[in-house]
C-alpha cells in the first residue's frame, strides 16, 4: 500500500509538471535534433523537441514538441514558430549565436495570454517574421506593375531616411 502511494505520488508529480504537447510542420528539419533542440520565447527556454518525423506525403516534416507548464498560454491561435539559424542577407547577418549553441525554434505571439483559442497544431514559418510582437512597427503590402531593382532586404526610404526594408 505504501509503495502504491509513493508510485502514485511520483506519477502525479510528473504529470502535474508537464505542459502541452504541440506539433509544428516545417519544410525541413535542418539542424533540429530530438531532445536537444530548444523552443524559446524571448530567449527563455519554454520547451524541447520530442520527435521529428516525415509527413505522410513526405513533402514536409512534423516536429513534435512539449512546452513547459508555464508556457501553456503560448499554445494559442496567434503563436508563430520558426527555426533560428545563421542567415546572411542584404538586411544584415542574424542568428550568429546558433554557431555555438545550436539551432533552436523561436516563438512569437501576437496576443496576450488567454486571448485566443487554444491550439496544438502549427505551421512553422520559413523565415523569421520582419516584425515581432515586442518591437513597434507595421507591415504593408505594396503592388506595382514591375519589380524594378527591389528585392528582399532592399531598404525603404522616406525623405532620405531609411524607415524599413522589403
Amino acid at each position: 500500500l505504501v509503495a502504491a502511494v509513493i508510485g502514485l505520488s511520483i506519477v502525479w508529480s510528473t504529470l502535474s509538471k508537464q505542459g502541452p504537447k504541440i506539433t509544428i510542420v516545417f519544410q525541413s528539419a535542418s539542424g533540429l535534433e530530438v531532445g536537444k533542440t530548444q523552443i524559446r520565447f524571448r530567449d527563455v527556454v519554454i520547451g524541447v523537441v520530442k520527435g521529428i518525423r516525415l509527413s505522410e506525403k513526405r513533402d514536409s516534416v512534423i516536429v513534435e514538441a512539449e512546452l513547459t507548464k508555464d508556457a501553456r498560454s503560448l499554445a494559442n491561435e496567434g503563436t508563430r514558430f520558426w527555426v533560428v539559424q545563421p542567415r546572411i542577407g542584404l538586411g544584415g547577418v542574424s542568428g550568429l549565436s546558433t554557431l555555438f549553441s545550436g539551432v533552436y525554434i523561436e516563438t512569437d505571439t501576437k496576443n496576450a495570454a488567454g486571448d485566443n483559442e487554444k491550439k496544438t497544431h502549427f505551421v512553422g514559418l520559413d523565415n523569421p517574421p520582419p516584425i515581432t510582437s515586442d518591437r513597434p512597427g507595421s507591415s504593408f503590402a505594396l503592388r506595382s506593375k514591375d519589380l524594378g531593382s527591389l528585392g528582399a532586404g532592399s531598404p525603404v526610404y522616406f525623405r532620405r531616411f531609411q524607415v524599413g526594408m522589403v
Side-chain angles (χ1 to χ4, degrees):
L1 185 61
V2 172
V5 169
I6 292 171
L8 286 174
S9 68
I10 291 171
V11 169
W12 174 256
S13 174
T14 302
L15 291 177
S16 67
K17 291 179 184 175
Q18 285 184 340
K21 292 177 173 55
I22 62 170
T23 58
I24 311 166
V25 178
F26 288 110
Q27 291 300 311
S28 167
S30 177
L32 300 179
E33 295 182 50
V34 174
K36 289 184 179 180
T37 303
Q38 299 173 338
I39 300 174
R40 299 182 187 178
F41 178 70
R42 297 186 182 172
D43 286 330
V44 175
V45 176
I46 60 162
V48 67
V49 172
K50 293 291 185 178
I52 301 173
R53 60 185 167 87
L54 284 173
S55 65
E56 288 183 20
K57 294 181 181 179
R58 295 182 294 215
D59 60 347
S60 58
V61 293
I62 300 171
V63 175
E64 298 165 351
E66 184 176 325
L67 301 179
T68 61
K69 184 178 178 181
D70 297 336
R72 67 181 170 270
S73 64
L74 289 172
N76 68 41
E77 189 68 35
T79 302
R80 304 176 290 180
F81 297 90
W82 65 93
V83 177
V84 176
Q85 51 193 359
R87 296 180 195 274
I88 300 173
L90 295 176
V93 179
S94 66
L96 287 180
S97 64
T98 61
L99 293 174
F100 303 107
S101 66
V103 172
Y104 62 91
I105 298 172
E106 183 65 51
T107 308
D108 188 42
T109 186
K110 299 177 192 175
N111 305 307
D115 278 358
N116 263 355
E117 183 178 319
K118 297 296 178 200
K119 186 175 173 183
T120 59
H121 184 77
F122 299 90
V123 176
L125 303 175
D126 293 333
N127 295 307
I131 301 172
T132 55
S133 64
D134 61 339
R135 296 176 61 199
S138 299
S139 180
F140 299 96
L142 304 175
R143 292 199 171 113
S144 174
K145 292 185 183 208
D146 62 18
L147 184 62
S149 61
L150 289 178
S154 296
V156 176
Y157 293 99
F158 178 72
R159 295 186 182 176
R160 297 186 184 170
F161 287 102
Q162 184 175 349
V163 295
M165 69 174 48
V166 175

